[in-house]
């Protein structure tokens, strides 16, 4: 095998891996949209278009738990007409994880990590729930401030549904969709 062949094989391998990850992420996002639509049938059309918001923003989101938590929080905000730009609990977890690898976390940051871990519905067996309660008792206010600041800093500027256009067809089926009305005649 020449260098070129090896490079090409490696490139194909990387592309295959990347596509597999992207398809898995899209399948998870689709499943979470279906679940949210079953819970909120009146907003099914809105949720259908929310797929564009559910892009993983961190390599750790390749794991199902974090991506599902990320999707669920954003879909909850969509249904409640809340801002979808600020960081999600899953995104805050990813950042806390990255920082913890580089430097010891401050006490409020540990409290934030535990709060976001719990908020994301990640396995409670991975954290000391007594320790988490201890942080909340002693530092709730500082954790509140840190959470607000971190979510703001992690905001994704174009993660919102303000410019949706719809052909009136979802998954190949004609539907009644609030975004299709502008195309009506
Ligand atoms: Zn639509």
């Amino acid at each position: 095998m020449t260098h070129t062949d090896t490079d090409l094989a490696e490139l194909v391998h990387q592309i295959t891996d990347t596509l597999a990850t992207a398809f898995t992420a899209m399948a998870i996002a689709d499943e979470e949209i279906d679940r949210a639509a079953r819970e909120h049938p009146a907003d099914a059309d809105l949720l259908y278009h929310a797929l564009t918001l559910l892009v993983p923003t961190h390599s750790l989101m390749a794991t199902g738990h974090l991506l599902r938590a990320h999707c669920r929080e954003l879909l909850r905000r969509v249904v409640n007409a809340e801002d979808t730009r600020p960081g999600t609990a899953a995104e805050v977890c990813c950042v806390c994880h990255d920082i913890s690898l580089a430097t010891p976390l401050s006490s409020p940051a540990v409290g934030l990590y535990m709060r976001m871990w719990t908020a994301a519905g990640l396995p409670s067996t991975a954290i000391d729930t007594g320790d988490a309660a201890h942080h909340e008792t002693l530092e709730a206010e500082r954790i509140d401030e840190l959470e607000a600041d971190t979510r703001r800093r992690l905001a994704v500027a174009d993660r919102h549904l303000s410019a949706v256009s719809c052909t009136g067809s979802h998954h190949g089926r004609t539907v009644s969709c609030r975004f299709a009305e502008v195309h009506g005649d």
Side-chain angles (χ1 to χ4, degrees):
M1 227 183 204
T2 64
H3 272 304
T4 308
D5 287 341
T6 311
D7 291 347
L8 186 60
E10 177 58 22
L11 183 62
V12 169
H13 180 68
Q14 285 176 6
I15 290 172
T16 307
D17 261 9
T18 304
L19 284 176
T21 304
F23 279 124
T24 303
M26 198 175 280
I28 287 176
D30 268 333
E31 283 172 20
E32 291 305 323
I33 286 175
D34 286 347
R35 173 203 290 259
R38 283 195 299 276
E39 289 174 10
H40 305 278
D43 288 320
D45 57 340
L46 182 61
L47 289 162
Y48 172 85
H49 288 286
L51 180 65
T52 56
L53 307 180
L54 307 184
V55 179
T57 56
H58 194 286
S59 57
L60 284 176
M61 285 189 192
T63 65
H65 276 313
L66 272 172
L67 182 57
R68 282 188 195 282
H70 179 66
C71 293
R72 285 178 192 179
E73 180 170 347
L74 290 174
L75 294 173
R76 200 160 50 234
R77 291 190 206 166
V78 166
V79 168
N80 294 330
E82 294 170 2
D83 195 346
T84 46
R85 291 168 297 177
T88 63
E91 288 175 314
V92 177
C93 281
C94 290
V95 165
C96 288
H97 167 270
D98 289 351
I99 295 172
S100 73
L101 295 181
T103 184
L105 294 178
S106 67
S107 182
V110 171
L112 175 66
Y113 198 175
M114 290 180 164
R115 182 190 284 184
M116 295 296 95
W117 186 275
T118 305
L122 298 172
S124 59
T125 46
I127 60 169
D128 182 334
T129 49
D131 201 21
H134 181 70
H135 279 282
E136 289 293 344
T137 304
L138 292 181
E139 305 175 313
E141 221 169 291
R142 291 182 68 193
I143 299 173
D144 287 347
E145 288 169 10
L146 194 55
E147 178 184 345
D149 186 49
T150 308
R151 285 183 184 270
R152 192 167 52 243
R153 285 170 189 267
L154 291 177
V156 179
D158 60 354
R159 186 166 66 196
H160 55 81
L161 278 177
S162 65
V164 177
S165 68
C166 178
T167 58
S169 170
H170 292 180
H171 298 304
R173 290 194 304 271
T174 301
V175 292
S176 167
C177 174
R178 71 193 74 181
F179 297 109
E181 288 171 8
V182 293
H183 298 290
D185 51 25

